Structure formats: C-alpha cells, structure tokens
Short mmCIF file of all heavy atoms in Angstrom, two decimals:
data_model
loop_
_atom_site.label_atom_id
_atom_site.label_comp_id
_atom_site.label_asym_id
_atom_site.label_seq_id
_atom_site.Cartn_x
_atom_site.Cartn_y
_atom_site.Cartn_z
N VAL A 23 -1.41 -15.50 -10.15
CA VAL A 23 -0.56 -14.32 -10.11
C VAL A 23 -1.27 -13.26 -9.31
O VAL A 23 -2.44 -12.97 -9.53
CB VAL A 23 -0.26 -13.76 -11.55
CG1 VAL A 23 0.53 -12.46 -11.45
CG2 VAL A 23 0.47 -14.78 -12.38
N CYS A 24 -0.57 -12.69 -8.33
CA CYS A 24 -1.07 -11.54 -7.55
C CYS A 24 0.06 -10.50 -7.50
O CYS A 24 1.22 -10.83 -7.64
CB CYS A 24 -1.41 -11.95 -6.13
SG CYS A 24 -2.91 -12.90 -5.97
N VAL A 25 -0.32 -9.24 -7.35
CA VAL A 25 0.62 -8.16 -7.29
C VAL A 25 0.41 -7.37 -6.02
O VAL A 25 -0.75 -7.01 -5.72
CB VAL A 25 0.49 -7.22 -8.52
CG1 VAL A 25 1.53 -6.11 -8.46
CG2 VAL A 25 0.61 -8.00 -9.80
N ALA A 26 1.46 -7.09 -5.28
CA ALA A 26 1.40 -6.22 -4.11
C ALA A 26 2.13 -4.92 -4.43
O ALA A 26 3.19 -4.92 -5.08
CB ALA A 26 2.04 -6.89 -2.91
N VAL A 27 1.57 -3.79 -4.05
CA VAL A 27 2.22 -2.50 -4.20
C VAL A 27 2.84 -2.16 -2.85
O VAL A 27 2.19 -2.14 -1.82
CB VAL A 27 1.22 -1.43 -4.62
CG1 VAL A 27 1.92 -0.09 -4.79
CG2 VAL A 27 0.48 -1.83 -5.90
N LEU A 28 4.17 -1.94 -2.89
CA LEU A 28 4.93 -1.66 -1.67
C LEU A 28 5.42 -0.22 -1.61
O LEU A 28 5.61 0.42 -2.62
CB LEU A 28 6.14 -2.59 -1.63
CG LEU A 28 5.88 -4.08 -1.91
CD1 LEU A 28 7.19 -4.81 -1.96
CD2 LEU A 28 4.96 -4.68 -0.90
N ASP A 29 5.61 0.27 -0.40
CA ASP A 29 6.16 1.62 -0.22
C ASP A 29 7.68 1.56 -0.40
O ASP A 29 8.24 0.52 -0.71
CB ASP A 29 5.75 2.22 1.11
CG ASP A 29 6.33 1.51 2.34
OD1 ASP A 29 7.27 0.71 2.18
OD2 ASP A 29 5.83 1.75 3.45
N GLU A 30 8.32 2.68 -0.19
CA GLU A 30 9.79 2.78 -0.41
C GLU A 30 10.54 1.81 0.46
O GLU A 30 11.65 1.38 0.11
CB GLU A 30 10.26 4.20 -0.09
CG GLU A 30 9.76 5.28 -1.05
CD GLU A 30 10.30 6.62 -0.69
OE1 GLU A 30 11.51 6.86 -0.92
OE2 GLU A 30 9.52 7.44 -0.17
N ASP A 31 10.00 1.48 1.62
CA ASP A 31 10.67 0.59 2.55
C ASP A 31 10.29 -0.90 2.39
O ASP A 31 10.70 -1.72 3.15
CB ASP A 31 10.39 1.00 4.01
CG ASP A 31 10.91 2.42 4.28
OD1 ASP A 31 12.04 2.73 3.81
OD2 ASP A 31 10.22 3.21 4.93
N GLY A 32 9.50 -1.19 1.38
CA GLY A 32 9.11 -2.54 1.10
C GLY A 32 7.90 -3.06 1.84
O GLY A 32 7.62 -4.28 1.88
N ARG A 33 7.16 -2.15 2.50
CA ARG A 33 5.94 -2.54 3.20
C ARG A 33 4.73 -2.42 2.28
O ARG A 33 4.64 -1.45 1.50
CB ARG A 33 5.73 -1.68 4.44
CG ARG A 33 6.81 -1.87 5.48
CD ARG A 33 6.55 -1.03 6.73
NE ARG A 33 6.47 0.37 6.35
CZ ARG A 33 7.42 1.28 6.60
NH1 ARG A 33 8.52 0.92 7.25
NH2 ARG A 33 7.27 2.53 6.26
N PRO A 34 3.77 -3.31 2.34
CA PRO A 34 2.55 -3.22 1.52
C PRO A 34 1.81 -1.92 1.73
O PRO A 34 1.62 -1.48 2.90
CB PRO A 34 1.70 -4.41 1.89
CG PRO A 34 2.69 -5.37 2.51
CD PRO A 34 3.75 -4.54 3.16
N MET A 35 1.40 -1.25 0.69
CA MET A 35 0.58 -0.05 0.81
C MET A 35 -0.82 -0.46 1.21
O MET A 35 -1.32 -1.48 0.77
CB MET A 35 0.53 0.71 -0.53
CG MET A 35 1.88 1.15 -1.07
SD MET A 35 2.58 2.50 -0.15
CE MET A 35 1.54 3.85 -0.67
N PRO A 36 -1.48 0.33 2.07
CA PRO A 36 -2.85 0.02 2.47
C PRO A 36 -3.75 -0.16 1.24
O PRO A 36 -3.71 0.65 0.33
CB PRO A 36 -3.31 1.23 3.30
CG PRO A 36 -2.01 1.82 3.79
CD PRO A 36 -0.98 1.56 2.69
N SER A 37 -4.54 -1.22 1.23
CA SER A 37 -5.50 -1.60 0.16
C SER A 37 -4.83 -2.18 -1.06
O SER A 37 -5.52 -2.53 -2.01
CB SER A 37 -6.38 -0.40 -0.27
OG SER A 37 -7.10 0.06 0.85
N PHE A 38 -3.49 -2.27 -1.09
CA PHE A 38 -2.80 -2.76 -2.30
C PHE A 38 -1.88 -3.94 -1.99
O PHE A 38 -0.95 -4.17 -2.71
CB PHE A 38 -1.98 -1.63 -2.95
CG PHE A 38 -2.79 -0.54 -3.51
CD1 PHE A 38 -3.06 0.62 -2.77
CD2 PHE A 38 -3.40 -0.67 -4.79
CE1 PHE A 38 -3.85 1.64 -3.31
CE2 PHE A 38 -4.16 0.35 -5.29
CZ PHE A 38 -4.42 1.50 -4.58
N GLY A 39 -2.15 -4.66 -0.93
CA GLY A 39 -1.32 -5.81 -0.57
C GLY A 39 -1.72 -7.06 -1.34
O GLY A 39 -2.68 -7.08 -2.08
N GLU A 40 -0.92 -8.11 -1.17
CA GLU A 40 -1.18 -9.37 -1.86
C GLU A 40 -2.59 -9.91 -1.48
O GLU A 40 -3.29 -10.46 -2.31
CB GLU A 40 -0.15 -10.39 -1.48
CG GLU A 40 -0.37 -11.75 -2.14
CD GLU A 40 0.63 -12.81 -1.69
OE1 GLU A 40 1.46 -12.53 -0.78
OE2 GLU A 40 0.57 -13.90 -2.23
N ASP A 41 -2.99 -9.77 -0.23
CA ASP A 41 -4.27 -10.30 0.21
C ASP A 41 -5.44 -9.56 -0.42
O ASP A 41 -6.52 -10.11 -0.53
CB ASP A 41 -4.40 -10.23 1.75
CG ASP A 41 -3.40 -11.18 2.42
OD1 ASP A 41 -2.97 -12.16 1.78
OD2 ASP A 41 -3.07 -10.94 3.59
N GLU A 42 -5.28 -8.30 -0.78
CA GLU A 42 -6.37 -7.53 -1.43
C GLU A 42 -6.38 -7.70 -2.95
O GLU A 42 -7.36 -7.33 -3.58
CB GLU A 42 -6.21 -6.05 -1.11
CG GLU A 42 -6.49 -5.68 0.34
CD GLU A 42 -5.28 -5.83 1.23
OE1 GLU A 42 -4.13 -5.81 0.75
OE2 GLU A 42 -5.49 -6.01 2.46
N CYS A 43 -5.33 -8.25 -3.51
CA CYS A 43 -5.24 -8.41 -4.96
C CYS A 43 -6.21 -9.48 -5.45
O CYS A 43 -6.32 -10.55 -4.87
CB CYS A 43 -3.82 -8.78 -5.36
SG CYS A 43 -3.56 -8.92 -7.15
N GLU A 44 -6.93 -9.16 -6.52
CA GLU A 44 -7.79 -10.14 -7.17
C GLU A 44 -6.89 -10.99 -8.07
O GLU A 44 -6.25 -10.45 -8.99
CB GLU A 44 -8.87 -9.46 -8.03
CG GLU A 44 -9.81 -8.59 -7.26
CD GLU A 44 -10.79 -9.38 -6.41
OE1 GLU A 44 -10.91 -10.60 -6.61
OE2 GLU A 44 -11.43 -8.77 -5.53
N PRO A 45 -6.73 -12.30 -7.78
CA PRO A 45 -5.78 -13.13 -8.53
C PRO A 45 -6.06 -13.19 -10.03
O PRO A 45 -7.21 -13.22 -10.44
CB PRO A 45 -5.98 -14.53 -7.90
CG PRO A 45 -6.65 -14.28 -6.61
CD PRO A 45 -7.43 -13.03 -6.77
N LEU A 46 -5.01 -13.20 -10.80
CA LEU A 46 -5.16 -13.40 -12.24
C LEU A 46 -5.00 -14.91 -12.46
O LEU A 46 -4.04 -15.52 -12.02
CB LEU A 46 -3.99 -12.66 -13.00
CG LEU A 46 -3.91 -11.18 -12.76
CD1 LEU A 46 -2.72 -10.62 -13.50
CD2 LEU A 46 -5.16 -10.49 -13.18
N GLY A 47 -5.97 -15.49 -13.11
CA GLY A 47 -5.98 -16.93 -13.20
C GLY A 47 -6.01 -17.52 -14.58
O GLY A 47 -6.13 -18.73 -14.75
N ARG A 48 -5.91 -16.68 -15.61
CA ARG A 48 -5.95 -17.25 -16.97
C ARG A 48 -4.68 -16.92 -17.71
O ARG A 48 -3.95 -16.01 -17.34
CB ARG A 48 -7.20 -16.75 -17.70
CG ARG A 48 -7.23 -15.28 -17.94
CD ARG A 48 -8.52 -14.87 -18.64
NE ARG A 48 -8.36 -13.57 -19.27
CZ ARG A 48 -8.56 -12.41 -18.67
NH1 ARG A 48 -8.89 -12.39 -17.42
NH2 ARG A 48 -8.40 -11.27 -19.34
N ASP A 49 -4.45 -17.65 -18.78
CA ASP A 49 -3.27 -17.44 -19.63
C ASP A 49 -3.65 -16.42 -20.70
O ASP A 49 -4.29 -16.73 -21.65
CB ASP A 49 -2.88 -18.76 -20.24
CG ASP A 49 -1.56 -18.68 -21.04
OD1 ASP A 49 -0.89 -17.65 -20.92
OD2 ASP A 49 -1.24 -19.64 -21.72
N ASP A 50 -3.24 -15.20 -20.44
CA ASP A 50 -3.61 -14.08 -21.33
C ASP A 50 -2.53 -13.00 -21.28
O ASP A 50 -1.90 -12.85 -20.25
CB ASP A 50 -4.96 -13.51 -20.92
CG ASP A 50 -5.62 -12.66 -21.98
OD1 ASP A 50 -4.93 -12.24 -22.92
OD2 ASP A 50 -6.82 -12.42 -21.86
N VAL A 51 -2.34 -12.26 -22.33
CA VAL A 51 -1.33 -11.24 -22.36
C VAL A 51 -1.85 -9.85 -22.03
O VAL A 51 -1.09 -8.90 -21.89
CB VAL A 51 -0.61 -11.20 -23.74
CG1 VAL A 51 0.15 -12.48 -24.00
CG2 VAL A 51 -1.57 -10.89 -24.85
N ASP A 52 -3.15 -9.74 -21.89
CA ASP A 52 -3.74 -8.39 -21.63
C ASP A 52 -4.73 -8.48 -20.47
O ASP A 52 -5.92 -8.60 -20.63
CB ASP A 52 -4.47 -7.89 -22.88
CG ASP A 52 -4.86 -6.43 -22.77
OD1 ASP A 52 -4.31 -5.74 -21.91
OD2 ASP A 52 -5.72 -6.01 -23.52
N GLN A 53 -4.16 -8.44 -19.26
CA GLN A 53 -4.98 -8.52 -18.06
C GLN A 53 -4.76 -7.28 -17.18
O GLN A 53 -3.64 -6.73 -17.19
CB GLN A 53 -4.66 -9.78 -17.27
CG GLN A 53 -4.97 -11.06 -18.01
CD GLN A 53 -4.80 -12.26 -17.10
OE1 GLN A 53 -5.50 -12.42 -16.11
NE2 GLN A 53 -3.82 -13.11 -17.43
N ILE A 54 -5.75 -6.90 -16.48
CA ILE A 54 -5.67 -5.75 -15.57
C ILE A 54 -5.72 -6.22 -14.13
O ILE A 54 -6.61 -6.97 -13.77
CB ILE A 54 -6.83 -4.77 -15.87
CG1 ILE A 54 -6.73 -4.23 -17.30
CG2 ILE A 54 -6.80 -3.64 -14.85
CD1 ILE A 54 -7.90 -3.38 -17.72
N VAL A 55 -4.73 -5.82 -13.36
CA VAL A 55 -4.68 -6.18 -11.94
C VAL A 55 -5.57 -5.20 -11.18
O VAL A 55 -5.52 -4.02 -11.37
CB VAL A 55 -3.23 -6.08 -11.41
CG1 VAL A 55 -3.17 -6.35 -9.93
CG2 VAL A 55 -2.31 -7.05 -12.18
N THR A 56 -6.37 -5.77 -10.31
CA THR A 56 -7.23 -4.94 -9.43
C THR A 56 -7.10 -5.44 -8.00
O THR A 56 -6.70 -6.59 -7.74
CB THR A 56 -8.72 -5.00 -9.87
OG1 THR A 56 -9.18 -6.34 -9.81
CG2 THR A 56 -8.89 -4.42 -11.27
N TRP A 57 -7.45 -4.59 -7.09
CA TRP A 57 -7.42 -4.93 -5.65
C TRP A 57 -8.80 -4.63 -5.09
O TRP A 57 -9.42 -3.67 -5.47
CB TRP A 57 -6.36 -4.05 -4.93
CG TRP A 57 -4.95 -4.29 -5.35
CD1 TRP A 57 -4.08 -5.13 -4.73
CD2 TRP A 57 -4.28 -3.75 -6.49
NE1 TRP A 57 -2.88 -5.12 -5.44
CE2 TRP A 57 -2.99 -4.26 -6.50
CE3 TRP A 57 -4.66 -2.83 -7.50
CZ2 TRP A 57 -2.03 -3.92 -7.47
CZ3 TRP A 57 -3.72 -2.51 -8.43
CH2 TRP A 57 -2.44 -3.04 -8.46
N ARG A 58 -9.24 -5.49 -4.16
CA ARG A 58 -10.52 -5.25 -3.53
C ARG A 58 -10.49 -3.88 -2.83
O ARG A 58 -9.61 -3.60 -2.00
CB ARG A 58 -10.83 -6.36 -2.48
CG ARG A 58 -11.13 -7.66 -3.15
CD ARG A 58 -11.52 -8.71 -2.12
NE ARG A 58 -10.36 -9.23 -1.39
CZ ARG A 58 -9.51 -10.13 -1.83
NH1 ARG A 58 -9.65 -10.64 -3.04
NH2 ARG A 58 -8.51 -10.55 -1.10
N GLY A 59 -11.43 -3.05 -3.17
CA GLY A 59 -11.49 -1.69 -2.57
C GLY A 59 -10.61 -0.68 -3.31
O GLY A 59 -10.70 0.48 -2.98
N ALA A 60 -9.82 -1.12 -4.28
CA ALA A 60 -8.97 -0.15 -5.03
C ALA A 60 -8.73 -0.74 -6.42
O ALA A 60 -7.99 -1.72 -6.56
CB ALA A 60 -7.63 0.06 -4.31
N SER A 61 -9.35 -0.14 -7.40
CA SER A 61 -9.16 -0.68 -8.76
C SER A 61 -8.24 0.18 -9.61
O SER A 61 -8.06 -0.08 -10.78
CB SER A 61 -10.52 -0.82 -9.45
OG SER A 61 -11.14 0.47 -9.50
N SER A 62 -7.64 1.19 -8.98
CA SER A 62 -6.77 2.09 -9.72
C SER A 62 -5.57 2.46 -8.84
O SER A 62 -5.71 2.59 -7.63
CB SER A 62 -7.58 3.34 -10.13
OG SER A 62 -6.69 4.34 -10.61
N LEU A 63 -4.43 2.71 -9.47
CA LEU A 63 -3.26 3.19 -8.77
C LEU A 63 -3.21 4.73 -8.70
O LEU A 63 -2.27 5.29 -8.17
CB LEU A 63 -1.98 2.67 -9.47
CG LEU A 63 -1.78 1.16 -9.44
CD1 LEU A 63 -0.55 0.78 -10.29
CD2 LEU A 63 -1.66 0.62 -8.03
N GLU A 64 -4.28 5.35 -9.18
CA GLU A 64 -4.32 6.81 -9.19
C GLU A 64 -4.08 7.44 -7.82
O GLU A 64 -3.48 8.47 -7.68
CB GLU A 64 -5.65 7.30 -9.77
CG GLU A 64 -5.65 8.77 -10.14
CD GLU A 64 -6.89 9.12 -10.91
OE1 GLU A 64 -7.45 8.28 -11.64
OE2 GLU A 64 -7.34 10.28 -10.77
N ALA A 65 -4.57 6.78 -6.78
CA ALA A 65 -4.40 7.29 -5.41
C ALA A 65 -2.96 7.35 -4.99
O ALA A 65 -2.58 8.05 -4.06
CB ALA A 65 -5.22 6.42 -4.43
N LEU A 66 -2.10 6.61 -5.70
CA LEU A 66 -0.69 6.55 -5.36
C LEU A 66 0.15 7.50 -6.23
O LEU A 66 1.38 7.49 -6.13
CB LEU A 66 -0.16 5.12 -5.51
CG LEU A 66 -0.91 4.08 -4.65
CD1 LEU A 66 -0.37 2.72 -5.01
CD2 LEU A 66 -0.86 4.40 -3.19
N SER A 67 -0.49 8.30 -7.05
CA SER A 67 0.21 9.21 -7.96
C SER A 67 1.20 10.10 -7.21
O SER A 67 0.84 10.67 -6.14
CB SER A 67 -0.81 10.07 -8.70
OG SER A 67 -0.15 10.96 -9.56
N GLY A 68 2.38 10.19 -7.67
CA GLY A 68 3.41 11.04 -7.07
C GLY A 68 4.21 10.33 -5.98
O GLY A 68 5.18 10.88 -5.49
N LYS A 69 3.82 9.12 -5.57
CA LYS A 69 4.54 8.37 -4.55
C LYS A 69 5.48 7.37 -5.20
O LYS A 69 5.25 6.90 -6.27
CB LYS A 69 3.55 7.62 -3.63
CG LYS A 69 2.62 8.52 -2.88
CD LYS A 69 1.74 7.73 -1.97
CE LYS A 69 0.82 8.70 -1.25
NZ LYS A 69 -0.05 8.02 -0.31
N VAL A 70 6.59 7.12 -4.51
CA VAL A 70 7.53 6.11 -4.95
C VAL A 70 6.99 4.74 -4.47
O VAL A 70 6.76 4.60 -3.25
CB VAL A 70 8.93 6.35 -4.41
CG1 VAL A 70 9.88 5.22 -4.77
CG2 VAL A 70 9.46 7.67 -4.91
N VAL A 71 6.78 3.81 -5.37
CA VAL A 71 6.31 2.51 -4.99
C VAL A 71 7.13 1.41 -5.69
O VAL A 71 7.81 1.67 -6.67
CB VAL A 71 4.81 2.33 -5.37
CG1 VAL A 71 3.92 3.31 -4.63
CG2 VAL A 71 4.56 2.42 -6.86
N ARG A 72 7.00 0.22 -5.17
CA ARG A 72 7.58 -0.96 -5.77
C ARG A 72 6.46 -1.99 -5.97
O ARG A 72 5.46 -1.95 -5.29
CB ARG A 72 8.60 -1.60 -4.79
CG ARG A 72 9.75 -0.68 -4.43
CD ARG A 72 10.60 -1.33 -3.38
NE ARG A 72 11.65 -0.43 -2.99
CZ ARG A 72 12.67 -0.75 -2.27
NH1 ARG A 72 12.81 -2.00 -1.81
NH2 ARG A 72 13.59 0.13 -1.93
N LEU A 73 6.66 -2.84 -6.96
CA LEU A 73 5.67 -3.89 -7.19
C LEU A 73 6.31 -5.24 -6.85
O LEU A 73 7.46 -5.51 -7.20
CB LEU A 73 5.25 -3.89 -8.67
CG LEU A 73 4.60 -2.62 -9.17
CD1 LEU A 73 4.30 -2.75 -10.66
CD2 LEU A 73 3.34 -2.30 -8.41
N ARG A 74 5.57 -6.08 -6.17
CA ARG A 74 6.02 -7.45 -5.89
C ARG A 74 5.02 -8.40 -6.55
O ARG A 74 3.83 -8.38 -6.25
CB ARG A 74 6.06 -7.72 -4.40
CG ARG A 74 6.52 -9.15 -4.11
CD ARG A 74 6.52 -9.51 -2.66
NE ARG A 74 7.32 -8.61 -1.87
CZ ARG A 74 7.08 -8.33 -0.60
NH1 ARG A 74 6.03 -8.86 0.03
NH2 ARG A 74 7.84 -7.48 0.05
N PHE A 75 5.54 -9.21 -7.49
CA PHE A 75 4.71 -10.14 -8.20
C PHE A 75 4.80 -11.50 -7.52
O PHE A 75 5.89 -11.97 -7.29
CB PHE A 75 5.15 -10.26 -9.66
CG PHE A 75 4.89 -9.02 -10.48
CD1 PHE A 75 5.81 -7.96 -10.49
CD2 PHE A 75 3.75 -8.90 -11.22
CE1 PHE A 75 5.58 -6.85 -11.20
CE2 PHE A 75 3.49 -7.76 -11.93
CZ PHE A 75 4.43 -6.72 -11.96
N HIS A 76 3.68 -12.09 -7.20
CA HIS A 76 3.59 -13.41 -6.59
C HIS A 76 3.14 -14.36 -7.66
O HIS A 76 1.99 -14.25 -8.15
CB HIS A 76 2.66 -13.43 -5.39
CG HIS A 76 3.06 -12.52 -4.32
ND1 HIS A 76 3.79 -12.91 -3.25
CD2 HIS A 76 2.83 -11.17 -4.15
CE1 HIS A 76 4.03 -11.88 -2.44
NE2 HIS A 76 3.44 -10.82 -2.97
N LEU A 77 3.99 -15.31 -8.07
CA LEU A 77 3.66 -16.22 -9.17
C LEU A 77 3.62 -17.66 -8.65
O LEU A 77 4.49 -18.08 -7.88
CB LEU A 77 4.73 -16.12 -10.26
CG LEU A 77 5.06 -14.74 -10.78
CD1 LEU A 77 6.27 -14.81 -11.70
CD2 LEU A 77 3.90 -14.17 -11.52
N GLU A 78 2.64 -18.36 -9.06
CA GLU A 78 2.53 -19.79 -8.77
C GLU A 78 2.19 -20.53 -10.08
O GLU A 78 1.18 -20.27 -10.65
CB GLU A 78 1.43 -20.03 -7.75
CG GLU A 78 1.35 -21.48 -7.27
CD GLU A 78 0.36 -21.67 -6.15
OE1 GLU A 78 0.32 -20.82 -5.24
OE2 GLU A 78 -0.39 -22.65 -6.25
N ARG A 79 3.11 -21.37 -10.50
CA ARG A 79 2.97 -22.06 -11.75
C ARG A 79 2.67 -21.09 -12.90
O ARG A 79 1.73 -21.27 -13.67
CB ARG A 79 1.86 -23.17 -11.67
CG ARG A 79 2.21 -24.28 -10.73
CD ARG A 79 1.18 -25.41 -10.82
NE ARG A 79 -0.16 -24.94 -10.91
CZ ARG A 79 -1.10 -25.09 -9.97
NH1 ARG A 79 -0.79 -25.69 -8.85
NH2 ARG A 79 -2.31 -24.64 -10.15
N ALA A 80 3.45 -20.02 -12.91
CA ALA A 80 3.23 -18.97 -13.86
C ALA A 80 4.58 -18.33 -14.26
O ALA A 80 5.57 -18.51 -13.57
CB ALA A 80 2.30 -17.91 -13.32
N GLY A 81 4.59 -17.61 -15.34
CA GLY A 81 5.73 -16.82 -15.76
C GLY A 81 5.29 -15.41 -16.08
O GLY A 81 4.15 -15.18 -16.47
N LEU A 82 6.18 -14.51 -15.91
CA LEU A 82 5.89 -13.08 -16.23
C LEU A 82 6.74 -12.64 -17.36
O LEU A 82 7.98 -12.68 -17.30
CB LEU A 82 6.18 -12.19 -15.00
CG LEU A 82 5.96 -10.72 -15.13
CD1 LEU A 82 4.48 -10.43 -15.39
CD2 LEU A 82 6.44 -9.99 -13.92
N PHE A 83 6.12 -12.26 -18.46
CA PHE A 83 6.83 -11.80 -19.64
C PHE A 83 7.11 -10.31 -19.55
O PHE A 83 8.23 -9.87 -19.76
CB PHE A 83 6.02 -12.12 -20.91
CG PHE A 83 6.67 -11.62 -22.18
CD1 PHE A 83 7.78 -12.23 -22.65
CD2 PHE A 83 6.09 -10.55 -22.84
CE1 PHE A 83 8.40 -11.73 -23.81
CE2 PHE A 83 6.67 -10.07 -23.99
CZ PHE A 83 7.83 -10.66 -24.50
N SER A 84 6.11 -9.52 -19.24
CA SER A 84 6.28 -8.08 -19.12
C SER A 84 5.07 -7.52 -18.38
O SER A 84 4.10 -8.20 -18.15
CB SER A 84 6.42 -7.42 -20.48
OG SER A 84 5.23 -7.50 -21.20
N PHE A 85 5.18 -6.23 -17.99
CA PHE A 85 4.04 -5.55 -17.40
C PHE A 85 4.11 -4.07 -17.83
O PHE A 85 5.15 -3.56 -18.26
CB PHE A 85 4.01 -5.69 -15.87
CG PHE A 85 5.13 -4.92 -15.15
CD1 PHE A 85 4.89 -3.63 -14.73
CD2 PHE A 85 6.37 -5.49 -14.96
CE1 PHE A 85 5.89 -2.93 -14.06
CE2 PHE A 85 7.37 -4.80 -14.30
CZ PHE A 85 7.13 -3.51 -13.86
N GLN A 86 2.95 -3.42 -17.71
CA GLN A 86 2.86 -2.03 -18.11
C GLN A 86 1.93 -1.32 -17.12
O GLN A 86 0.87 -1.84 -16.77
CB GLN A 86 2.27 -1.89 -19.52
CG GLN A 86 2.08 -0.49 -19.98
CD GLN A 86 1.48 -0.42 -21.38
OE1 GLN A 86 1.00 -1.43 -21.92
NE2 GLN A 86 1.49 0.73 -21.98
N LEU A 87 2.35 -0.13 -16.66
CA LEU A 87 1.47 0.67 -15.84
C LEU A 87 0.72 1.66 -16.67
O LEU A 87 1.31 2.32 -17.56
CB LEU A 87 2.31 1.44 -14.79
CG LEU A 87 3.01 0.58 -13.73
CD1 LEU A 87 3.87 1.47 -12.87
CD2 LEU A 87 2.05 -0.20 -12.91
N LYS A 88 -0.56 1.75 -16.44
CA LYS A 88 -1.38 2.70 -17.24
C LYS A 88 -2.05 3.65 -16.30
O LYS A 88 -2.37 3.40 -15.20
CB LYS A 88 -2.44 1.96 -18.05
CG LYS A 88 -1.87 1.12 -19.13
CD LYS A 88 -2.96 0.50 -19.93
CE LYS A 88 -2.45 -0.32 -21.07
NZ LYS A 88 -3.48 -0.88 -21.90
#
C-alpha cells in the first residue's frame, strides 16, 4: 500500500508522490504513512489535497488524518 497526495488538479504534490511513499507492508490497523523527505502533512496545511491509495493484494478499511 502506498499513498500519493495530489493537488486540486490531481497532480502529485512535490515530495508526496507514490514514488516517495514508504510502502506499508504488514497487516495492521494502526500504521502511519510517511514519504521520503516528508514525514508530516503539516507543510500542506490550508491547501486542498486529494489522496490516491495504491493497493496491491490489499484492502482498505478506513483511514484517518492526524
């Protein structure tokens, strides 16, 4: 599972694309998504963003932004 943060037009935000995402690889309900060079979404505060979840042999039950 990887997550990309996209801008209003659906383009990956710098440092928050799928390629920068550290993949989630275990079966767990409490995992934190991080990106190489950016471990927090705080830099995006106040901006409109979209999330794109990339799943391979996985399911997504829910997510929460903190």
Side-chain angles (χ1 to χ4, degrees):
V23 175
C24 287
V25 181
V27 181
L28 312 175
D29 66 14
E30 293 180 74
D31 298 319
R33 294 182 302 255
M35 300 288 287
S37 301
F38 294 97
E40 178 185 5
D41 293 337
E42 291 85 23
C43 182
E44 298 288 346
L46 303 176
R48 63 182 200 274
D49 187 9
D50 197 343
V51 296
D52 191 19
Q53 296 187 66
I54 297 174
V55 177
T56 59
W57 295 264
R58 288 183 285 282
S61 60
S62 169
L63 295 175
E64 193 171 330
L66 304 176
S67 180
K69 296 182 181 182
V70 175
V71 298
R72 300 174 183 191
L73 300 177
R74 180 184 301 151
F75 292 87
H76 299 266
L77 308 172
E78 186 175 316
R79 294 188 318 248
L82 178 65
F83 177 71
S84 67
F85 70 93
Q86 178 181 13
L87 295 176
K88 292 183 179 183

